Amino acid sequence: LDRALESAGMSAGPSRTAETPLVGAEGYGPGLAADLSTRFGLDEAVAVHLARSYGGEAVAVLDMGRERGLLERLHPGHPYLEAEVRFAKEREHAVTADDVLERRLRLGFLDRAAAESVRNRVDELLRVH
């Protein structure tokens, strides 16, 4: 940001980017996936996906999933959990199945057929209040 402002001949107050952690940075570390797998009884692929996608926030996704019985995979061929749909709605303000499948989980880009096969379930999970 500092470089962009400088090249545009603009200025701003001091940048705090270097000191501002990304969402999920707290609690993230090299052993997170193994910890998630052990604590929540997850398959390794699911644990790795959650650690990489959510960092320390993966625990919040899993706590929500455990509480609501949503720790099942959304599709058997991919590591995404049903809990991620509810998390996307409640914490990331996702509204539509496309928003979840394409922008949050990216399943719509990775495997269009799989995304279409779970669309009804995603819609169902989004409607739950």
Side-chain angles (χ1 to χ4, degrees), residues 36-37 40-51 53-54 57-66 69-89 100-101 104-105 107 118 121-122 125:
L36 295 174
S37 183
F40 292 90
L42 300 174
D43 176 79
E44 181 183 354
V46 173
V48 168
H49 154 68
L50 292 170
S53 298
Y54 297 93
E57 289 288 292
V59 173
V61 173
L62 291 166
D63 282 341
M64 176 185 288
R66 181 182 280 166
L70 297 173
L71 291 181
E72 296 298 318
R73 285 186 187 220
L74 195 56
H75 184 279
H78 295 278
Y80 310 112
L81 298 180
E82 290 180 334
E84 291 180 80
V85 177
R86 293 300 303 169
F87 190 84
K89 177 182 178 173
V100 171
L101 292 168
R104 313 304 166 133
L105 302 182
L107 184 59
V118 299
R121 179 63 177 145
V122 171
L125 290 165

Side-chain angles (χ1 to χ4, degrees), residues 9 24 59 84 124 126 129:
V59 173
E84 291 180 80
E124 209 175 279
L126 289 172
H129 295 288

